[in-house]
Amino acid sequence: MADTFDHTPQVWNAAQLREAIKDLPDDAPIQIGVAESPANFDGYDTFVLVDAEHVENWWPATSTTPERTETEEAITLFADWRPDTYDQLD
């Protein structure tokens, strides 16, 4: 049986993010370091923030309830590779 561990990162909220970026100029790019594996930032990849959308949950219609969409009080940040020239993948 493989060794396991509970991964319980400190998940930031909007107030923490606002505080962290309060002194950045409006045109400062936002980079996101993505851990190589849970809690492992020794080998992280750096991406750039390209979009943000409110989190929406969707439930299909059933025989007793109509289709339903609910917007959470959360956002998803979307990241992409940094601007550069990359090899075309086949």
Coordinates of all heavy atoms in Angstrom, one line a residue:
M1 N 0.8 -1.2 0.0 CA 0.0 0.0 0.0 C 0.9 1.2 0.0 O 1.9 1.3 0.7 CB -0.9 0.0 1.2 CG -1.9 1.1 1.3 SD -2.8 0.8 2.8 CE -4.1 1.8 2.6
A2 N 0.5 2.2 -0.8 CA 1.3 3.4 -0.9 C 1.2 4.3 0.3 O 0.1 4.4 0.9 CB 0.9 4.2 -2.2
D3 N 2.3 5.1 0.6 CA 2.2 6.0 1.7 C 1.3 7.2 1.2 O 1.3 7.6 0.0 CB 3.6 6.6 2.0 CG 4.4 5.5 2.7 OD1 3.9 4.6 3.3 OD2 5.7 5.7 2.7
T4 N 0.5 7.7 2.1 CA -0.4 8.9 1.8 C -0.2 10.0 2.8 O 0.4 9.7 3.9 CB -1.8 8.4 1.8 OG1 -2.2 8.0 3.1 CG2 -2.1 7.3 0.7
F5 N -0.7 11.1 2.5 CA -0.7 12.2 3.5 C -1.9 13.1 3.2 O -2.4 13.1 2.0 CB 0.6 13.0 3.5 CG 0.8 13.9 2.2 CD1 0.4 15.2 2.2 CD2 1.3 13.3 1.1 CE1 0.6 16.0 1.1 CE2 1.5 14.1 -0.1 CZ 1.2 15.5 0.0
D6 N -2.4 13.7 4.2 CA -3.5 14.7 4.0 C -3.0 16.0 3.5 O -2.1 16.6 4.2 CB -4.3 14.9 5.3 CG -5.1 13.6 5.7 OD1 -5.6 12.9 4.8 OD2 -5.3 13.4 6.9
H7 N -3.5 16.5 2.4 CA -3.0 17.7 1.8 C -4.1 18.8 2.2 O -5.2 18.7 1.7 CB -2.9 17.6 0.3 CG -2.4 18.9 -0.3 ND1 -1.3 19.5 0.0 CD2 -3.0 19.6 -1.3 CE1 -1.1 20.6 -0.8 NE2 -2.2 20.7 -1.6
T8 N -3.7 19.7 3.1 CA -4.7 20.7 3.5 C -4.0 22.1 3.4 O -3.6 22.7 4.4 CB -5.1 20.5 5.0 OG1 -3.9 20.4 5.8 CG2 -5.8 19.2 5.2
P9 N -3.9 22.6 2.2 CA -3.3 23.9 2.0 C -4.2 25.0 2.5 O -5.4 24.9 2.6 CB -3.2 24.0 0.4 CG -4.3 23.2 -0.1 CD -4.5 22.0 0.9
Q10 N -3.6 26.1 2.9 CA -4.3 27.3 3.3 C -4.9 28.0 2.0 O -4.1 28.5 1.2 CB -3.3 28.3 3.9 CG -3.7 29.8 3.8 CD -4.5 30.3 5.0 OE1 -4.1 30.1 6.1 NE2 -5.6 30.9 4.8
V11 N -6.1 27.8 1.8 CA -6.8 28.3 0.6 C -7.1 29.8 0.8 O -7.8 30.2 1.8 CB -8.1 27.5 0.3 CG1 -8.8 28.1 -1.0 CG2 -7.8 26.1 0.1
W12 N -6.6 30.6 -0.1 CA -6.8 32.1 0.1 C -8.2 32.5 -0.3 O -8.9 31.9 -1.1 CB -5.8 32.8 -0.9 CG -4.4 33.0 -0.3 CD1 -3.8 32.2 0.5 CD2 -3.6 34.1 -0.6 NE1 -2.6 32.7 0.8 CE2 -2.4 33.9 0.1 CE3 -3.7 35.2 -1.4 CZ2 -1.3 34.8 0.1 CZ3 -2.6 36.1 -1.5 CH2 -1.4 35.8 -0.7
N13 N -8.6 33.6 0.3 CA -9.9 34.2 0.0 C -9.6 35.5 -0.7 O -8.5 35.9 -0.9 CB -10.7 34.4 1.3 CG -10.1 35.2 2.3 OD1 -9.4 36.2 2.0 ND2 -10.3 34.9 3.6
A14 N -10.7 36.2 -1.1 CA -10.6 37.4 -1.9 C -9.8 38.5 -1.1 O -9.0 39.3 -1.6 CB -11.9 37.9 -2.3
A15 N -10.1 38.6 0.2 CA -9.4 39.6 1.0 C -7.9 39.4 1.1 O -7.2 40.4 1.0 CB -10.0 39.6 2.4
Q16 N -7.5 38.2 1.1 CA -6.0 37.9 1.2 C -5.4 38.3 -0.2 O -4.3 38.8 -0.2 CB -5.8 36.5 1.5 CG -6.1 36.1 2.9 CD -6.0 34.6 3.2 OE1 -6.9 33.9 2.6 NE2 -5.1 34.2 4.0
L17 N -6.1 38.0 -1.3 CA -5.6 38.3 -2.6 C -5.5 39.8 -2.8 O -4.5 40.4 -3.2 CB -6.4 37.7 -3.7 CG -6.0 38.0 -5.1 CD1 -4.6 37.5 -5.4 CD2 -7.0 37.3 -6.1
R18 N -6.6 40.5 -2.4 CA -6.6 42.0 -2.5 C -5.4 42.6 -1.7 O -4.7 43.5 -2.2 CB -7.9 42.6 -2.0 CG -9.0 42.6 -3.0 CD -10.2 43.5 -2.6 NE -11.0 42.9 -1.6 CZ -11.9 42.0 -1.8 NH1 -12.2 41.6 -3.0 NH2 -12.6 41.4 -0.8
E19 N -5.2 42.1 -0.5 CA -4.1 42.6 0.3 C -2.7 42.4 -0.3 O -1.9 43.2 -0.3 CB -4.1 41.9 1.7 CG -3.0 42.3 2.6 CD -3.0 43.8 3.0 OE1 -4.0 44.5 3.0 OE2 -1.9 44.3 3.4
A20 N -2.6 41.2 -0.9 CA -1.3 40.9 -1.6 C -1.0 41.7 -2.8 O 0.2 42.0 -3.1 CB -1.3 39.4 -2.0
I21 N -2.0 42.2 -3.5 CA -1.8 43.0 -4.7 C -2.1 44.4 -4.6 O -2.0 45.2 -5.5 CB -2.6 42.4 -5.9 CG1 -4.1 42.5 -5.7 CG2 -2.2 40.9 -6.1 CD1 -4.9 42.2 -6.9
K22 N -2.3 44.9 -3.4 CA -2.8 46.3 -3.2 C -1.8 47.3 -3.7 O -2.2 48.4 -4.1 CB -3.1 46.6 -1.7 CG -1.9 46.6 -0.8 CD -2.3 46.8 0.6 CE -1.0 46.9 1.5 NZ -1.3 47.1 2.9
D23 N -0.5 47.0 -3.6 CA 0.5 48.0 -4.1 C 1.0 47.8 -5.5 O 1.8 48.6 -6.0 CB 1.7 48.0 -3.1 CG 1.3 48.4 -1.7 OD1 0.5 49.3 -1.6 OD2 1.9 47.8 -0.7
L24 N 0.4 46.9 -6.2 CA 0.8 46.6 -7.6 C 0.2 47.7 -8.5 O -1.0 48.1 -8.3 CB 0.4 45.3 -8.1 CG 1.2 44.1 -7.6 CD1 0.6 42.8 -8.1 CD2 2.6 44.1 -8.0
P25 N 0.9 48.1 -9.5 CA 0.2 49.0 -10.5 C -0.9 48.3 -11.2 O -0.8 47.0 -11.3 CB 1.4 49.5 -11.4 CG 2.5 48.5 -11.2 CD 2.3 47.9 -9.8
D26 N -1.8 49.0 -11.7 CA -3.0 48.3 -12.4 C -2.5 47.5 -13.6 O -3.2 46.5 -14.0 CB -4.0 49.4 -12.9 CG -4.8 50.0 -11.7 OD1 -4.7 49.4 -10.6 OD2 -5.4 51.0 -11.9
D27 N -1.4 47.8 -14.3 CA -1.0 47.1 -15.5 C 0.0 46.0 -15.2 O 0.6 45.4 -16.1 CB -0.5 48.0 -16.5 CG 0.8 48.8 -16.1 OD1 1.1 48.8 -14.9 OD2 1.4 49.4 -16.9
A28 N 0.2 45.7 -13.9 CA 1.2 44.6 -13.5 C 0.6 43.2 -13.9 O -0.5 42.9 -13.5 CB 1.5 44.7 -12.0
P29 N 1.4 42.4 -14.6 CA 0.9 41.1 -14.9 C 0.8 40.2 -13.7 O 1.6 40.4 -12.7 CB 1.9 40.5 -15.9 CG 3.1 41.3 -15.7 CD 2.7 42.7 -15.2
I30 N -0.1 39.3 -13.6 CA -0.2 38.3 -12.5 C 0.4 37.0 -12.9 O -0.1 36.4 -13.9 CB -1.6 38.2 -12.0 CG1 -2.2 39.5 -11.6 CG2 -1.7 37.2 -10.9 CD1 -1.6 40.2 -10.4
Q31 N 1.4 36.5 -12.2 CA 1.9 35.1 -12.5 C 1.4 34.2 -11.5 O 1.2 34.5 -10.3 CB 3.4 35.1 -12.5 CG 4.0 35.9 -13.7 CD 5.5 35.8 -13.8 OE1 6.1 35.0 -13.1 NE2 6.1 36.5 -14.6
I32 N 1.2 32.9 -11.9 CA 0.7 31.9 -11.0 C 1.7 30.7 -11.0 O 2.0 30.2 -12.1 CB -0.7 31.4 -11.4 CG1 -1.7 32.6 -11.4 CG2 -1.2 30.3 -10.5 CD1 -3.0 32.3 -12.0
G33 N 2.2 30.4 -9.8 CA 3.1 29.2 -9.7 C 2.3 28.0 -9.4 O 1.6 28.0 -8.3
V34 N 2.3 27.0 -10.2 CA 1.5 25.8 -10.0 C 2.4 24.7 -9.5 O 3.4 24.3 -10.1 CB 0.8 25.3 -11.2 CG1 0.0 24.1 -11.0 CG2 -0.1 26.5 -11.7
A35 N 2.1 24.1 -8.3 CA 3.0 23.1 -7.7 C 3.1 21.9 -8.6 O 2.1 21.5 -9.3 CB 2.4 22.7 -6.3
E36 N 4.2 21.3 -8.6 CA 4.5 20.1 -9.4 C 3.7 18.9 -8.9 O 3.2 18.1 -9.6 CB 6.0 19.7 -9.4 CG 6.4 18.6 -10.2 CD 7.9 18.4 -10.2 OE1 8.4 17.7 -9.3 OE2 8.5 18.9 -11.1
S37 N 3.5 18.9 -7.6 CA 2.7 17.8 -6.9 C 2.2 18.5 -5.6 O 2.6 19.6 -5.3 CB 3.5 16.6 -6.7 OG 4.6 16.9 -5.9
P38 N 1.3 17.9 -4.9 CA 0.7 18.5 -3.7 C 1.8 19.0 -2.8 O 2.7 18.3 -2.4 CB -0.1 17.4 -3.0 CG -0.5 16.5 -4.2 CD 0.7 16.5 -5.1
A39 N 1.8 20.3 -2.5 CA 2.7 21.0 -1.6 C 4.1 21.1 -2.0 O 5.0 21.4 -1.3 CB 2.6 20.4 -0.2
N40 N 4.4 20.7 -3.3 CA 5.8 20.7 -3.8 C 6.0 21.9 -4.7 O 5.7 21.8 -5.9 CB 6.1 19.4 -4.5 CG 7.5 19.3 -5.1 OD1 8.3 20.2 -4.9 ND2 7.8 18.3 -5.9
F41 N 6.6 23.0 -4.2 CA 6.8 24.1 -5.0 C 8.3 24.2 -5.4 O 8.8 25.2 -6.0 CB 6.4 25.4 -4.3 CG 4.9 25.6 -4.2 CD1 4.2 25.2 -3.1 CD2 4.3 26.1 -5.3 CE1 2.9 25.4 -3.1 CE2 2.9 26.3 -5.3 CZ 2.2 25.9 -4.2
D42 N 9.1 23.1 -5.2 CA 10.5 23.1 -5.6 C 10.5 23.0 -7.1 O 11.4 23.5 -7.8 CB 11.2 21.9 -5.0 CG 11.4 22.0 -3.5 OD1 11.4 23.2 -3.1 OD2 11.6 21.0 -2.8
G43 N 9.5 22.3 -7.7 CA 9.5 22.1 -9.2 C 8.2 22.7 -9.7 O 7.4 22.0 -10.3
Y44 N 7.9 24.0 -9.5 CA 6.7 24.5 -9.9 C 6.8 25.1 -11.3 O 7.9 25.5 -11.8 CB 6.1 25.6 -9.0 CG 6.9 26.9 -8.9 CD1 6.6 27.9 -9.7 CD2 7.9 27.0 -8.0 CE1 7.3 29.1 -9.7 CE2 8.6 28.2 -7.9 CZ 8.3 29.3 -8.8 OH 9.0 30.4 -8.7
D45 N 5.7 25.2 -12.1 CA 5.6 25.9 -13.4 C 5.0 27.2 -13.2 O 4.1 27.4 -12.3 CB 4.8 25.1 -14.4 CG 5.5 23.8 -14.8 OD1 6.8 23.9 -15.0 OD2 4.9 22.8 -15.0
T46 N 5.4 28.2 -13.9 CA 4.9 29.6 -13.8 C 4.0 29.8 -15.0 O 4.4 29.6 -16.2 CB 6.0 30.6 -13.8 OG1 6.8 30.4 -12.7 CG2 5.4 32.0 -13.6
F47 N 2.8 30.3 -14.8 CA 1.8 30.6 -15.8 C 1.3 32.0 -15.5 O 1.6 32.6 -14.5 CB 0.6 29.7 -15.7 CG 0.9 28.2 -16.0 CD1 1.3 27.4 -14.9 CD2 0.9 27.7 -17.2 CE1 1.6 26.1 -15.2 CE2 1.3 26.4 -17.5 CZ 1.6 25.6 -16.4
V48 N 0.6 32.6 -16.5 CA 0.1 34.0 -16.4 C -1.4 33.9 -16.3 O -2.1 33.1 -16.9 CB 0.5 34.9 -17.5 CG1 2.0 35.1 -17.5 CG2 0.1 34.3 -18.9
L49 N -2.0 34.8 -15.5 CA -3.4 34.9 -15.4 C -4.0 35.5 -16.6 O -3.6 36.6 -17.1 CB -3.8 35.8 -14.2 CG -5.2 36.1 -13.9 CD1 -5.9 34.7 -13.5 CD2 -5.4 37.1 -12.7
V50 N -5.0 34.8 -17.2 CA -5.6 35.3 -18.5 C -7.1 35.6 -18.4 O -7.6 36.2 -19.3 CB -5.3 34.3 -19.7 CG1 -3.8 34.3 -19.9 CG2 -5.9 33.0 -19.4
D51 N -7.7 35.1 -17.3 CA -9.2 35.3 -17.3 C -9.7 34.9 -15.9 O -9.0 34.3 -15.1 CB -9.9 34.5 -18.3 CG -11.3 34.9 -18.6 OD1 -11.7 36.0 -18.1 OD2 -12.0 34.3 -19.3
A52 N -10.9 35.4 -15.5 CA -11.5 35.0 -14.3 C -13.0 35.0 -14.6 O -13.6 35.8 -15.3 CB -11.2 36.0 -13.2
E53 N -13.7 33.9 -14.0 CA -15.1 33.8 -14.2 C -15.7 33.4 -12.9 O -15.1 32.6 -12.1 CB -15.4 32.8 -15.3 CG -15.0 33.1 -16.6 CD -15.4 32.1 -17.7 OE1 -16.2 31.1 -17.3 OE2 -15.0 32.2 -18.8
H54 N -16.9 33.9 -12.6 CA -17.7 33.4 -11.5 C -17.9 31.9 -11.6 O -18.2 31.4 -12.7 CB -19.0 34.2 -11.3 CG -18.7 35.6 -10.8 ND1 -18.6 35.9 -9.5 CD2 -18.6 36.7 -11.5 CE1 -18.4 37.2 -9.3 NE2 -18.3 37.7 -10.5
V55 N -17.9 31.2 -10.5 CA -18.1 29.8 -10.5 C -19.6 29.6 -10.6 O -20.4 30.2 -9.8 CB -17.6 29.1 -9.2 CG1 -18.0 27.7 -9.1 CG2 -16.1 29.3 -9.1
E56 N -20.0 28.8 -11.6 CA -21.5 28.5 -11.7 C -21.6 27.0 -11.6 O -20.9 26.2 -12.2 CB -22.0 28.9 -13.1 CG -22.1 30.4 -13.2 CD -22.9 30.9 -14.4 OE1 -23.1 30.0 -15.3 OE2 -23.3 32.0 -14.5
N57 N -22.6 26.6 -10.9 CA -23.0 25.2 -10.8 C -24.3 25.0 -11.6 O -25.2 25.8 -11.6 CB -23.3 24.8 -9.3 CG -22.0 24.9 -8.5 OD1 -21.0 24.4 -8.9 ND2 -22.1 25.5 -7.3
W58 N -24.3 23.9 -12.3 CA -25.4 23.6 -13.2 C -26.0 22.2 -12.9 O -25.3 21.3 -12.7 CB -25.0 23.7 -14.7 CG -26.1 23.3 -15.6 CD1 -27.1 24.1 -16.1 CD2 -26.2 22.0 -16.3 NE1 -27.9 23.4 -17.0 CE2 -27.3 22.1 -17.1 CE3 -25.5 20.8 -16.2 CZ2 -27.8 21.0 -17.8 CZ3 -25.9 19.8 -17.0 CH2 -27.1 19.9 -17.8
W59 N -27.3 22.2 -12.8 CA -28.0 20.9 -12.6 C -29.0 20.7 -13.7 O -29.8 21.6 -14.0 CB -28.8 20.9 -11.3 CG -27.9 20.9 -10.1 CD1 -27.3 19.9 -9.4 CD2 -27.4 22.1 -9.4 NE1 -26.5 20.3 -8.4 CE2 -26.6 21.7 -8.3 CE3 -27.5 23.5 -9.6 CZ2 -25.9 22.6 -7.5 CZ3 -26.9 24.3 -8.8 CH2 -26.1 23.9 -7.7
P60 N -29.0 19.5 -14.4 CA -29.9 19.3 -15.5 C -31.3 19.1 -14.9 O -31.6 18.8 -13.8 CB -29.4 18.0 -16.1 CG -28.7 17.3 -14.9 CD -28.1 18.4 -14.1
A61 N -32.3 19.3 -15.8 CA -33.7 19.1 -15.5 C -34.0 17.7 -15.2 O -33.3 16.8 -15.8 CB -34.6 19.6 -16.6
T62 N -34.8 17.5 -14.3 CA -35.3 16.1 -14.0 C -36.8 16.1 -14.2 O -37.4 17.1 -14.6 CB -35.0 15.7 -12.5 OG1 -35.8 16.5 -11.7 CG2 -33.5 15.8 -12.2
S63 N -37.4 14.9 -13.9 CA -38.9 14.9 -14.1 C -39.6 15.7 -13.1 O -40.8 16.1 -13.3 CB -39.3 13.4 -14.0 OG -39.0 12.9 -12.7
T64 N -39.0 16.1 -12.0 CA -39.7 16.9 -11.0 C -39.1 18.3 -10.8 O -39.8 19.1 -10.2 CB -39.6 16.2 -9.6 OG1 -38.2 16.0 -9.3 CG2 -40.3 14.9 -9.7
T65 N -37.9 18.6 -11.4 CA -37.4 20.0 -11.2 C -36.8 20.5 -12.5 O -36.3 19.7 -13.3 CB -36.2 20.0 -10.2 OG1 -35.2 19.1 -10.6 CG2 -36.7 19.6 -8.8
P66 N -36.9 21.8 -12.8 CA -36.3 22.3 -14.0 C -34.8 22.4 -13.9 O -34.2 22.3 -12.9 CB -37.0 23.7 -14.1 CG -37.3 24.1 -12.6 CD -37.6 22.8 -11.9
E67 N -34.2 22.7 -15.1 CA -32.8 22.9 -15.1 C -32.5 24.1 -14.2 O -33.3 25.0 -14.1 CB -32.4 23.3 -16.6 CG -30.9 23.6 -16.7 CD -30.6 23.9 -18.2 OE1 -30.8 23.1 -19.0 OE2 -30.1 25.1 -18.4
R68 N -31.3 24.1 -13.6 CA -31.0 25.1 -12.6 C -29.5 25.5 -12.7 O -28.7 24.6 -12.8 CB -31.4 24.6 -11.2 CG -31.1 25.5 -10.1 CD -31.8 25.0 -8.8 NE -31.2 23.8 -8.4 CZ -30.5 23.6 -7.2 NH1 -30.3 24.7 -6.5 NH2 -30.0 22.5 -6.9
T69 N -29.2 26.8 -12.6 CA -27.9 27.3 -12.5 C -27.8 28.2 -11.3 O -28.6 29.0 -11.1 CB -27.5 28.1 -13.8 OG1 -27.7 27.2 -14.9 CG2 -26.1 28.6 -13.7
E70 N -26.7 28.0 -10.6 CA -26.5 28.9 -9.4 C -25.1 29.4 -9.4 O -24.1 28.7 -9.7 CB -26.6 27.9 -8.2 CG -27.4 28.5 -7.0 CD -27.5 27.4 -6.0 OE1 -26.5 27.0 -5.3 OE2 -28.7 26.9 -5.8
T71 N -24.9 30.7 -9.2 CA -23.6 31.3 -9.1 C -23.1 31.4 -7.7 O -23.8 31.9 -6.8 CB -23.6 32.8 -9.7 OG1 -24.1 32.7 -11.1 CG2 -22.3 33.4 -9.7
E72 N -21.9 30.8 -7.5 CA -21.3 30.8 -6.1 C -20.6 32.1 -5.9 O -20.3 32.9 -6.8 CB -20.3 29.7 -6.0 CG -20.8 28.3 -6.0 CD -19.7 27.3 -5.7 OE1 -18.8 27.6 -5.0 OE2 -19.8 26.1 -6.3
E73 N -20.3 32.3 -4.6 CA -19.5 33.5 -4.2 C -18.1 33.1 -4.3 O -17.4 33.1 -3.3 CB -19.9 34.0 -2.8 CG -21.3 34.6 -2.8 CD -21.6 35.2 -1.4 OE1 -20.7 35.3 -0.5 OE2 -22.7 35.6 -1.2
A74 N -17.7 32.8 -5.5 CA -16.3 32.3 -5.8 C -16.0 32.6 -7.2 O -16.9 32.8 -8.0 CB -16.1 30.8 -5.5
I75 N -14.7 32.7 -7.6 CA -14.3 32.8 -9.0 C -13.2 31.8 -9.3 O -12.6 31.3 -8.4 CB -13.7 34.2 -9.3 CG1 -12.5 34.5 -8.5 CG2 -14.8 35.3 -9.1 CD1 -11.7 35.8 -8.9
T76 N -13.2 31.4 -10.6 CA -12.1 30.6 -11.1 C -11.2 31.5 -11.8 O -11.6 32.2 -12.7 CB -12.7 29.5 -12.0 OG1 -13.6 28.7 -11.2 CG2 -11.6 28.6 -12.6
L77 N -9.9 31.4 -11.5 CA -8.8 32.1 -12.2 C -8.3 31.2 -13.3 O -7.9 30.0 -13.0 CB -7.7 32.6 -11.3 CG -8.1 33.5 -10.1 CD1 -7.0 33.8 -9.2 CD2 -8.8 34.8 -10.6
F78 N -8.2 31.7 -14.5 CA -7.6 30.8 -15.6 C -6.2 31.3 -15.9 O -6.0 32.5 -16.1 CB -8.5 31.0 -16.8 CG -9.9 30.3 -16.6 CD1 -10.9 31.1 -16.2 CD2 -10.1 29.0 -16.9 CE1 -12.2 30.5 -16.0 CE2 -11.3 28.4 -16.7 CZ -12.4 29.1 -16.2
A79 N -5.3 30.3 -16.0 CA -3.9 30.6 -16.3 C -3.5 30.0 -17.7 O -4.1 28.9 -18.0 CB -3.0 30.1 -15.2
D80 N -2.6 30.6 -18.3 CA -2.1 30.0 -19.6 C -0.5 30.1 -19.5 O 0.0 30.7 -18.6 CB -2.6 30.9 -20.8 CG -2.5 30.1 -22.1 OD1 -1.9 29.1 -22.2 OD2 -3.0 30.7 -23.1
W81 N 0.1 29.5 -20.5 CA 1.6 29.6 -20.6 C 2.0 31.0 -20.8 O 1.3 31.8 -21.4 CB 2.1 28.7 -21.7 CG 1.9 27.3 -21.5 CD1 0.7 26.6 -21.4 CD2 2.9 26.3 -21.2 NE1 1.0 25.3 -21.1 CE2 2.3 25.1 -21.0 CE3 4.3 26.4 -21.1 CZ2 3.0 23.9 -20.7 CZ3 5.0 25.3 -20.8 CH2 4.4 24.0 -20.6
R82 N 3.2 31.4 -20.3 CA 3.7 32.7 -20.4 C 3.9 33.1 -21.9 O 4.2 32.2 -22.7 CB 5.0 32.9 -19.7 CG 4.9 32.8 -18.2 CD 6.2 32.9 -17.5 NE 6.9 31.6 -17.6 CZ 8.0 31.3 -17.1 NH1 8.7 32.2 -16.5 NH2 8.5 30.1 -17.2
P83 N 3.8 34.4 -22.3 CA 4.1 34.7 -23.7 C 5.5 34.3 -24.1 O 6.5 34.6 -23.3 CB 4.0 36.3 -23.7 CG 3.1 36.6 -22.5 CD 3.4 35.5 -21.5
D84 N 5.6 33.6 -25.1 CA 6.9 33.2 -25.6 C 6.7 32.5 -27.0 O 5.6 32.4 -27.4 CB 7.6 32.2 -24.6 CG 9.1 32.1 -24.8 OD1 9.6 32.6 -25.8 OD2 9.7 31.5 -23.9
T85 N 7.7 32.0 -27.6 CA 7.6 31.2 -28.8 C 7.8 29.7 -28.4 O 8.8 29.4 -27.7 CB 8.7 31.6 -29.8 OG1 8.6 33.0 -30.1 CG2 8.6 30.8 -31.1
Y86 N 6.8 28.9 -28.8 CA 6.8 27.5 -28.4 C 6.8 26.6 -29.7 O 6.4 27.0 -30.7 CB 5.6 27.2 -27.6 CG 5.6 27.9 -26.2 CD1 4.9 29.0 -26.1 CD2 6.3 27.4 -25.2 CE1 4.9 29.7 -24.9 CE2 6.3 28.1 -24.0 CZ 5.6 29.2 -23.8 OH 5.6 29.9 -22.6
D87 N 7.4 25.4 -29.6 CA 7.3 24.5 -30.7 C 5.9 24.1 -30.9 O 5.1 23.9 -30.0 CB 8.1 23.2 -30.3 CG 9.6 23.4 -30.3 OD1 10.1 24.4 -30.9 OD2 10.3 22.7 -29.6
Q88 N 5.5 24.0 -32.2 CA 4.2 23.5 -32.6 C 4.1 22.0 -32.3 O 4.9 21.2 -32.7 CB 4.0 23.8 -34.1 CG 2.6 23.3 -34.6 CD 1.5 24.3 -34.3 OE1 1.8 25.5 -34.1 NE2 0.3 23.9 -34.1
L89 N 3.1 21.6 -31.6 CA 2.9 20.2 -31.3 C 2.0 19.6 -32.3 O 1.1 20.2 -32.8 CB 2.2 20.0 -29.9 CG 3.1 20.6 -28.7 CD1 2.3 20.4 -27.4 CD2 4.4 19.9 -28.6
D90 N 2.4 18.3 -32.7 CA 1.6 17.7 -33.8 C 0.3 17.2 -33.3 O 0.1 16.9 -32.2 CB 2.4 16.5 -34.3 CG 3.7 17.0 -35.1 OD1 3.6 18.1 -35.6 OD2 4.6 16.2 -35.1

